[in-house]
Amino acid sequence: DIQMTQSPSSLSASVGDRVTITCRASQGISNYLAWYQQKPGKVPKLLIYGASTLQSGVPSRFSGTESGTDFTLTISSLQPEDVATYYCQKYNSAPRTFGQGTKVEIK
Amino acid sequence: EVQLVECGGGLVQPGRSLRLSCTASGFTFGDFAMSWVRQAPGKGLEWVGFIRSKAYGGTTEYAASVKGRFTISRDDSESIAYLQMNSLKTEDTAVYYCTRDTYGGIFDHWGQGTLVTVSS
């Protein structure tokens, strides 16, 4: 099975900082990669699919890129409401594996 | 508005069974695959399995950790997806989320989750 490895597992940044989270697939998955945001105590929410397509209603400070088997979620200017754990997920085939998550906090 | 409401969670002893339900509204249920995702306390998200729409055969796929013990089914006339969990283990303790599975595996809507606790 294809493994999804996220890094870092956690990070602390200041409001306004640019934040980058990486997800690496152990094999090629084309662009079948989604990102989810889970705020503390809340249900996960879809942010990005197709590696770079923003889900409707998601702020434009979120963006996604793809380079081979490496995928990146970027928050261009971190806001207090972005405190959450972020997960990548591959969906080219079953199993629809999630990364282990990246916890983002405000410094 | 798309809504997914899970029910059926609770405390169950190891080795016993439990069935979760997910009632959908706000979309044509029969046109979509449905997935179940779980989250153990303080842990990350784990995909459990999904069921395709009838147009794609209504077939199922499962994570290795639950294959042979869990079964997903659907009743399109009632807009309900089910997760039958047999031979439960303590490591199955988690919040179980029902999700709408679209574009071949994107989870664009989630239920609020139902907690399953497996303990003696």
Side-chain angles (χ1 to χ4, degrees), chain A residues 62-96:
Chain A
F62 291 92
S63 64
T65 60
E66 167 202 354
S67 178
T69 57
D70 290 341
F71 301 84
T72 300
L73 173 68
T74 299
I75 308 173
S76 60
S77 177
L78 187 66
Q79 299 302 303
E81 60 266 33
D82 300 335
V83 168
T85 301
Y86 293 84
Y87 297 91
C88 63
Q89 176 236 337
K90 68 113 177 152
Y91 58 95
N92 61 314
S93 63
R96 306 200 197 300

Side-chain angles (χ1 to χ4, degrees), chain B:
Chain B
E1 178 194 4
V2 172
Q3 285 197 323
L4 300 170
V5 179
E6 303 95 335
C7 64
L11 175 63
V12 61
Q13 293 179 325
R16 304 298 291 263
S17 299
L18 201 63
R19 189 178 79 162
L20 307 182
S21 300
C22 169
T23 302
S25 60
F27 65 102
T28 305
F29 180 77
D31 288 349
F32 290 85
M34 298 296 293
S35 266
W36 290 89
V37 174
R38 68 184 180 182
Q39 186 168 35
K43 302 297 184 182
L45 301 173
E46 180 187 15
W47 173 76
V48 172
F50 82 101
I51 184 165
R52 295 177 177 87
S53 66
K54 290 291 196 307
Y56 289 89
T59 52
T60 54
E61 305 281 353
Y62 299 97
S65 58
V66 306
K67 196 169 186 179
R69 298 188 299 123
F70 289 12
T71 301
I72 298 172
S73 60
R74 63 190 299 154
D75 181 342
D76 290 351
S77 67
E78 297 289 338
S79 299
I80 300 176
Y82 298 101
L83 177 63
Q84 176 68 43
M85 304 183 292
N86 298 333
S87 303
L88 281 161
K89 306 176 182 180
T90 55
E91 53 263 42
D92 295 319
T93 293
V95 172
Y96 284 75
Y97 296 102
C98 165
T99 75
R100 192 174 78 166
D101 186 321
T102 189
Y103 295 118
I106 302 166
F107 309 137
D108 65 344
H109 291 277
W110 297 62
Q112 83 288 351
T114 187
L115 176 63
V116 173
T117 302
V118 184
S119 174
S120 54

Side-chain angles (χ1 to χ4, degrees), chain A residues 14-94:
Chain A
S14 299
V15 173
D17 282 355
R18 184 180 185 89
V19 168
T20 298
I21 299 168
T22 297
C23 179
R24 173 168 290 174
S26 60
Q27 298 175 42
I29 59 170
S30 186
N31 67 338
Y32 293 100
L33 191 283
W35 290 96
Y36 300 85
Q37 174 194 62
Q38 186 177 31
K39 296 183 178 181
K42 300 297 185 182
V43 175
K45 171 188 168 184
L46 174 66
L47 291 179
I48 286 170
Y49 61 93
S52 60
T53 302
L54 216 60
Q55 173 71 343
S56 176
V58 173
S60 58
R61 63 180 179 274
F62 291 92
S63 64
T65 60
E66 167 202 354
S67 178
T69 57
D70 290 341
F71 301 84
T72 300
L73 173 68
T74 299
I75 308 173
S76 60
S77 177
L78 187 66
Q79 299 302 303
E81 60 266 33
D82 300 335
V83 168
T85 301
Y86 293 84
Y87 297 91
C88 63
Q89 176 236 337
K90 68 113 177 152
Y91 58 95
N92 61 314
S93 63

